[in-house]
Each structure stands twice: as C-alpha cells, then as structure tokens.
Amino acid sequence: MRRPSAATVLVVLVLGGVLAAPSLLPPGAAAMDPARALLPPSAGAPFGTDVLGRDYLARVLAAGRPGLLIAAGTTLLAALVGIPLGVLAGAAGGRTDLVVMRVLEVGFAVPPLVLAIAVLGVTGPSAAALVLALAASYAPLLARVARAATLARMGELYVLAARAAGERPWRIVALHVLPNTAGTLVTQTALVFSYALLAEASLSFLGLGTQPANPSWGRLLTEAIPLTTVAPWLGIFPGAALVLVVVAVNLRADAWGDALDPRLARGGRP
Amino acid sequence: MLRFLFWRLLGAAVLILAVSVLAFALVRFLPGGPAQAALGLRASPAEVERLNAALGLDRPVAVQYAEWLGRALRLDFGTSLSGGARAGTPVADLIARGLAVTVPLALLGTAIAVAVGLPLGLAAAARAGRGTDRAVSAAAVVALSLPPFYLGYLLILVFAVRLGWLPSVGYVSPAADPAGFLRIILLPALTIGIINAAPVARTARAAAVEVAAGEPVRLARLAGAPPGVVWFKHVLRGAMVPVVTVVGLQVGFLMGGVIVVENMFALPGLGRQMLIAAEQRDYPTLQAVIVVFAAAFVLVNLLVDLLYAAIDPRIRPEGG
C-alpha cells in the first residue's frame, strides 16, 4: 500500500468539505441582516456579506453541493452507458464497431453546452433533464476512450493466447481486457467529472441550472456581476471555490494517468 | 486527393443530416413542445391539439421532417416564435446576424489561444523537466479548470474596472464600427483564448519533446545546424500537426466558451441567440442553431484533415 499522494488528500479534503459543509453550518449562519449588507471581507466575515447582509462564507459553502451532485450523476450515467458501449465496439469489431462509432460521431458533432441548452429550452429547467443532456454528450467521449483502450488490449499476446485456447469472448473481456484498461477508464471518468462540473456551473450561470432558491456557484456569479464595481468579493469567492474543486479533480486525474500508464509503471503492475 | 475530398464531404453531409434529425426529434419528442409552451401548462388537451393542428404538428413526423429539410436546404428555417422585437423574424436572419458576431469572436479567440499556447508549449519542451516546464504545466492545469464566466469576471475586474483600459459593455456592430467592435470583443476573445491556450500548450509541448528526440533533429544537430534553424525547421513543423488537430477537436469546447462569454458580455452572437431562444421556447430557432453549431464543428474538422497534407507533405489522405 502506497502512501496517499498529495493529489488524493487534496481531492478528498475539497470534495468532502464541500459535500459536508451545508450540514456542518450552524443554523442561522446565513441569516439576513440588512444592517450588515455588502460588507467587505473582514475577520468576522471572511468572505464578506451579500446584498441581504447574509454571511457570504456560509452561502458559498452551501452552494457547492448542487453542482457536485449533478456532476456526479452525469458522470455515473455517462460511464454506465459509454464504457460498456465502447468495450463492446472494441471487442466485437466488425459491423457492431462501425455502427456504434457512427452513432457516437453524431454525439461528438453537437457540443455539450449546445445540446444541454437545447434540451433545457424544450423541457424547462430540470435537474433530471440537465443530467440526461450532459450524460448524452459525455457518454460518447468515454465510449471512444473505452473502445481505443479495448482495441489496444485485444492485440496483446495474452488475449490472443486466451482466444487460441478457446476462451469465450465475454470471459476474455472480463478477465483480460477490463482489468488492463481500468487505469485509462478511471482517469477519463475523473476528467468527465471535471467537465461536468464546469458545464453545470456554466449552465447555472446562464440561468438554466439549479433554481435560485438553491443557488450553485455559477448562479452566485450571475448575481455578483451587476455588483462587480461595489462588491467584487461576491464573484471572486464562489468562482475560486469552483476552480479549487476542478483543479483538485484534474490533478488527481493527471496523477492517476501517470500512475496507471503502463509506460510509466513503477513495479507491482504487469 | 479529389476522391478523398469527395468522400469526406459526403461523410460530413451525412453527419450534419443526422444531427438535423436529432435536433428535430429533440423538439418533437421531449416533454414540453411548442403548443404547450405557447398555451401554458394549464391549457386543456383539446386546446393543445387544436394549436398542433394549426401548426401542422399533427401530421406524421417523417412528413414534417421532410418538409423542414426541404426548406432548410434553401436556408429557410421558418420564423422565430420569440416575443417582442424578434417576433416573426426569419430564423435565417437571426442566425446570419449571430454568425457575424460569433465567427470573428471564435477566430480571434483561437488566434489568441495559438499565439499564447504554442510559444509556451515550445518553451516548456525546450526546458523539459525544469522550472519553465513545470510552471507551464501548472498554468495549463489551472487554465483548464477555469470556467469561462469566472475568467471573464476576473478580466473585467482587472481591465475594465481597475485599469479602465477596455470596455465591458456597449455593443457596436462590426459593420458600423469595425475598430469599436474589435475593442468590444477583445475581453471575451481573451477569455476563451486563455482557456483554450492550455490544450494547445500541452499538445505543443508533448509533440515538440517527441520531435526533438527524433532522428531528423539529431541528424540536423550533428550536421551543425544552428539551434534556431533546428527549432524552426523541424520542431515547430512537427508540433504543428498535433496542434492543428487539437484546435479542431477543441472546437466544441471553444463553442461552449463562446456561448458563455457572448451572454456574459451581451454580444448578440449565435450563443446569445440560442439562449434567448431557449428562454422563450423558440423551437424553430433552437432547432436551426443546433444544426449550425454542429455543421461548424464538422466543417472545421474537415478543414483540419485537409490542412494536414499542406503542413506535412508526408501525410497523404487514404484513397487520395
């Protein structure tokens, strides 16, 4: 067992903190107090206060969860659809591969934000529609990576040997292909999580994400823009919180990419 | 080469057609629908049915699609269902007006991305493993993690509010005042340019490291070519193919950024038109904008494939 890397510690701290924060805040932490409206950051209110005199640190902390949950749901759905599809295309080859890849190409041609705005424009704002639309964009991405990784493994000597020995195709995939593509897939899935976080934040910023009663970081930025000149902290802090989370996830994904890349493997792995 | 061009164009056309089917299905089959949106949620089913019949939405879907496609091929995408000043405007006009803003913005953004990313990537490769290299890859991770609206906000804060160098509002059309238009799109273009510089820098670094370790570069060095010549003739050229590829593949990502900054800086481009259409449930416009964005993506990537041959004569398209 290796010691957890700095990237792991960072991602666990940041994600855990953001998920736990709304439950840990003392009741009334974000109570309104018109007398204390738009105070700049100080020792008593490290992130300052908002238009209604609410403590902004409490608001920023409470706004992390909705985006994380949407991004997690999106990533899970995209992985559940995209990875099996890609592995199937790569392992089956032939006509199956051709059909799957042609369908995925349609998915690539429509940028994620364009598809999501169109879907939400038809259904109206809805978390379920948002997750579905984003997952529909990221599933092809995971499928393409899964297909490429599977294809690379299918040519390996141990797969050819298993085939020659008459092993059934699904057993070859389960025993030989999947374990050796896991690294690539985990890395790519983590990256999809960071794309989904950014996409959700952008859609919230555009007014199509979570609703005002339940603001996410993107939404807080929208509210901060008219006050840019008088209260820049209203935009700086929620944006910085989002960037911190995405950087942590990206660093972790990069580290996985290095640790699981067979070309960089440092012992212990085949 | 002509045969290759023919097949690629045909493939691109089929792909755009498939996207148009998707866009059509999206508007027809998702819960909501034009009649419901126009009448509100309390409308009775009978009322919805009447309006559907009036709009021709009760006919077989294939017939509706064929009719839509027939008109779309003549660049007639119907008229906007938005209210206010846009009511009844041909969708094609909205798109043309949007493209007049979006195309210059996307081009300037891409130019900035390459102008920033390529030199940084090459500098990192030249000092691989040292401080410059590590600084560039750290900067790339941060840039890739920046949502466009946040970088835009920070740039407004610095350049518009603190320094007062550039305007952040006050749109002028490119036709009326080209210089003023350029000033207006500079901050938005800088926003998407900085974010998109990150993948360019990473790709350029990786490619340059590989080329620099390769046979031709070693031979050129042994032959006594000055380092500047080696870098310009071999490394830069070798890095260009992957950089052009990544620019093509990142077009979808770039478009996401364009949509966000257009809405943030109140630029009436395609992304702004799309958001207004989504807010107003303007189905004909939404449907057409999806197809236009997808067509742009497909055509840029087609162009990238054709550029390969121009940059690197060794790459010959298959079948050409």
Side-chain angles (χ1 to χ4, degrees):
Chain A
M1 204 54 207
R2 280 179 307 144
R3 277 186 309 130
S5 69
T8 312
V9 174
L10 183 67
V11 87
V12 167
L13 279 182
V14 168
L15 291 187
V18 169
L19 282 177
S23 319
L24 295 179
L25 289 173
M32 296 181 207
D33 182 359
R36 305 185 67 236
L38 292 181
L39 294 180
S42 64
F47 285 11
T49 63
D50 72 359
V51 192
L52 297 171
R54 289 174 288 192
D55 179 54
Y56 207 53
L57 175 60
R59 288 208 79 202
V60 169
L61 285 176
R65 207 189 259 176
L68 280 190
L69 293 180
I70 298 253
T74 300
T75 309
L76 193 68
L77 190 60
L80 285 177
V81 174
I83 292 177
L85 212 57
V87 171
L88 174 76
R95 204 171 293 169
T96 314
D97 186 24
L98 199 71
V99 170
V100 171
M101 289 318 286
R102 283 293 163 275
V103 172
L104 294 183
E105 243 177 73
V106 180
F108 283 123
V110 185
L113 227 47
V114 171
L115 184 66
I117 292 174
V119 167
L120 292 170
V122 175
T123 63
S126 127
L130 179 56
V131 166
L132 274 177
L134 288 178
S137 285
Y138 296 129
L141 190 68
L142 287 175
R144 184 165 63 176
V145 173
R147 173 183 176 272
T150 305
L151 272 181
R153 293 296 156 259
M154 290 306 277
E156 300 269 11
L157 214 50
Y158 52 82
V159 170
L160 296 178
R163 267 182 154 169
E167 194 94 77
R168 290 208 197 106
W170 66 266
R171 271 183 64 89
I172 295 180
V173 169
L175 292 179
H176 304 295
V177 175
L178 280 182
N180 289 302
T181 52
T184 315
L185 295 181
V186 166
T187 306
Q188 200 62 38
T189 306
L191 285 178
V192 161
F193 180 65
S194 83
Y195 300 157
L197 271 172
L198 288 175
E200 189 281 335
S202 291
L203 289 163
S204 291
F205 174 77
L206 296 175
L208 290 169
T210 52
Q211 289 308 288
N214 194 14
S216 72
W217 286 326
R219 187 78 214 165
L220 290 182
L221 249 299
T222 317
E223 291 168 10
I225 283 185
L227 297 165
T228 307
T229 46
V230 287
W233 60 89
L234 294 181
I236 289 174
F237 289 116
L242 175 61
V243 172
L244 178 67
V245 172
V246 179
V247 165
V249 173
N250 280 339
L251 282 178
R252 182 59 272 198
D254 275 1
W256 264 325
D258 290 347
L260 298 169
D261 185 342
R263 283 170 302 177
L264 300 175
R266 288 158 291 238
R269 285 181 53 82
Chain B
M1 190 68 198
L2 268 179
R3 244 173 64 116
F4 164 77
L5 193 64
F6 171 77
W7 283 111
R8 281 306 318 259
L9 277 173
L10 191 70
V14 170
L15 193 52
I16 295 169
L17 206 63
V19 171
S20 81
V21 173
L22 175 85
F24 190 84
L26 205 74
V27 170
R28 289 297 177 287
F29 297 126
L30 279 181
Q36 192 85 63
L39 293 171
L41 283 174
R42 290 209 205 117
S44 72
E47 282 177 290
V48 171
E49 234 165 79
R50 257 202 308 279
L51 187 58
N52 271 336
L55 292 172
L57 297 174
D58 58 341
R59 293 170 303 153
V61 176
V63 174
Q64 292 183 44
Y65 175 73
E67 197 182 84
W68 178 83
L69 185 66
R71 285 191 285 125
L73 288 176
R74 282 171 274 137
L75 296 182
D76 172 8
F77 296 101
T79 51
S80 166
L81 292 182
S82 293
R86 301 153 57 91
T89 316
V91 171
D93 287 3
L94 290 180
I95 288 175
R97 270 186 258 161
L99 284 176
V101 177
T102 300
V103 171
L105 174 61
L107 287 178
L108 187 58
T110 305
I112 293 173
V114 174
V116 173
L118 189 59
L120 283 181
L122 293 179
R127 292 172 184 74
R130 277 184 275 170
T132 316
D133 187 19
R134 258 171 280 153
V136 169
S137 50
V141 169
V142 173
L144 276 176
S145 308
L146 279 171
F149 59 83
Y150 187 48
L151 181 57
Y153 181 85
L154 296 178
L155 290 177
I156 289 178
L157 215 53
V158 174
F159 290 106
V161 177
R162 294 262 173 249
L163 301 173
W165 286 354
L166 289 165
S168 65
V169 284
Y171 177 74
V172 286
S173 83
D177 177 3
F181 175 73
L182 210 62
R183 269 170 66 85
I184 279 290
I185 66 166
L186 198 54
L187 272 189
L190 206 58
T191 306
I192 49 180
I194 291 174
I195 292 174
N196 282 275
V200 171
R202 284 183 155 192
T203 311
R205 180 200 175 275
V209 165
E210 208 170 316
V211 177
E215 202 71 10
V217 168
R218 241 180 308 160
L219 281 177
R221 286 223 172 96
L222 281 178
V229 172
V230 171
W231 274 85
F232 270 100
K233 261 192 85 174
H234 298 280
V235 179
L236 183 61
R237 185 170 218 168
M240 275 321 276
V241 171
V243 165
V244 169
T245 310
V246 86
V247 167
L249 289 175
Q250 292 290 329
V251 168
F253 180 61
L254 180 88
M255 284 172 182
V258 166
I259 293 174
V260 172
V261 296
E262 279 181 2
N263 284 287
M264 178 170 195
F265 290 86
L267 302 175
L270 208 55
R272 179 87 196 112
Q273 307 288 357
M274 185 178 197
L275 196 73
I276 295 173
E279 282 163 354
Q280 308 226 354
R281 302 242 171 147
D282 180 354
Y283 294 85
T285 308
L286 271 184
Q287 204 179 326
V289 170
I290 299 174
V291 177
V292 171
F293 270 118
F297 179 85
V298 171
L299 292 179
V300 168
N301 279 288
L302 178 65
L303 200 66
V304 164
D305 276 6
L306 299 179
L307 263 178
Y308 284 159
I311 296 173
D312 192 337
R314 283 170 310 172
I315 298 175
R316 277 276 162 247
E318 74 263 45

